[in-house]
Amino acid sequence: MAGVDRQCRCGAGGLVRDERSTFSIGAGELNLYQSMFVMFDKDGDGTISTKELGTLLRSLGKNPCQEEIEELIDTCDKDGSGSIDFEEFCLLMDKREKEKMTKLDIKQIFTVFDKDGNGYVSSSELKFVMTKLGVHFTEEELQEMVLEADIDGDGQVNFDEFLTMMTTE
C-alpha cells in the first residue's frame, strides 16, 4: 500500500478534503481509522469523548487511568472542544503509526474484525463489523477490500496478510 498524502476531516458527508492538517497515511489505514472512529463514537456525534476514548484504548489492551485519557485528549484536541473529532483522531493515529505499531497492536486490531476467532477475516465478517460501525459497502466493495489484502487467494484475510497490509508503505 503506497503512502498517500491525505487531507481530511469528518463532515456531514464523511471524509472531505481540508487544508487545516496534512498527514501521510495509506488508503487502507484511512479506512481502518474511520472504522475504528465510528465504532467508538458510540453516540454518533462525530467526536470521541474521554469515556469513549477509554473504551477504545482498553479494547487495544491498554488500561489508562482517567487522568491519562484526559491528557491524551488535551494533547490531540486541536480545537479545544474537549473531545477528539475525526481529523484529530487521524492525526493521533498517524503520530502513533510514526511511533510504529507493534505486531501485538496490529493483532488486537485484527481481532476486532475476526468475529468468529478462526484467524481469518471474510467479507461477511468485514460487512458485519462495518455495518455495526454504521459504514455500509456494497458486496462488490467488500469483496474488493478482501481481495486487495488477500495474498494467497483463499478469499479471506489471515493475520499475516493483514499485517502486511498494515505495515506496507
Side-chain angles (χ1 to χ4, degrees), residues 5-25:
D5 283 338
R6 296 282 184 180
Q7 299 174 350
C8 68
R9 66 181 166 83
C10 191
L15 292 178
V16 294
R17 305 285 292 173
D18 191 345
E19 299 304 319
R20 292 187 293 167
S21 299
T22 301
F23 44 94
S24 297
I25 58 176

Side-chain angles (χ1 to χ4, degrees), residues 9-124:
R9 66 181 166 83
C10 191
L15 292 178
V16 294
R17 305 285 292 173
D18 191 345
E19 299 304 319
R20 292 187 293 167
S21 299
T22 301
F23 44 94
S24 297
I25 58 176
E29 286 94 347
L30 185 63
N31 289 336
L32 178 63
Y33 297 166
Q34 184 174 20
S35 297
M36 291 172 68
F37 184 84
V38 171
M39 183 183 326
F40 292 100
D41 177 17
K42 295 290 187 191
D43 58 9
D45 68 352
T47 64
I48 296 178
S49 66
T50 55
K51 181 179 177 186
E52 292 165 333
L53 183 60
T55 302
L56 170 67
L57 293 172
R58 281 186 282 285
S59 78
L60 296 173
K62 311 294 183 208
N63 193 21
C65 66
Q66 185 64 26
E67 184 178 306
E68 291 170 316
I69 295 168
E70 290 171 5
E71 184 178 314
L72 184 56
I73 285 195
D74 288 344
T75 302
C76 304
D77 183 20
K78 303 299 181 198
D79 62 7
S81 66
S83 59
I84 300 174
D85 63 22
F86 184 65
E87 177 186 3
E88 293 163 340
F89 182 76
C90 285
L91 291 168
L92 169 66
M93 296 305 287
D94 187 51
K95 178 182 175 200
R96 187 166 188 236
E97 175 61 24
K98 286 186 173 105
E99 294 169 355
K100 280 301 179 196
M101 293 177 73
T102 66
K103 191 172 182 177
L104 179 60
D105 292 333
I106 295 170
K107 181 71 172 177
Q108 290 169 334
I109 294 168
F110 180 78
T111 60
V112 170
F113 290 91
D114 181 17
K115 299 310 288 176
D116 62 9
N118 70 350
Y120 297 91
V121 176
S122 65
S123 61
S124 62

Side-chain angles (χ1 to χ4, degrees), residues 122-153:
S122 65
S123 61
S124 62
E125 287 174 309
L126 183 59
K127 180 179 183 176
F128 175 80
V129 172
M130 299 306 266
T131 300
K132 287 287 188 186
L133 299 173
V135 180
H136 302 281
F137 292 102
T138 66
E139 289 297 323
E140 294 79 27
E141 289 170 325
L142 291 165
Q143 286 296 327
E144 186 176 319
M145 283 186 243
V146 170
L147 289 174
E148 184 178 323
D150 180 21
I151 296 168
D152 63 14

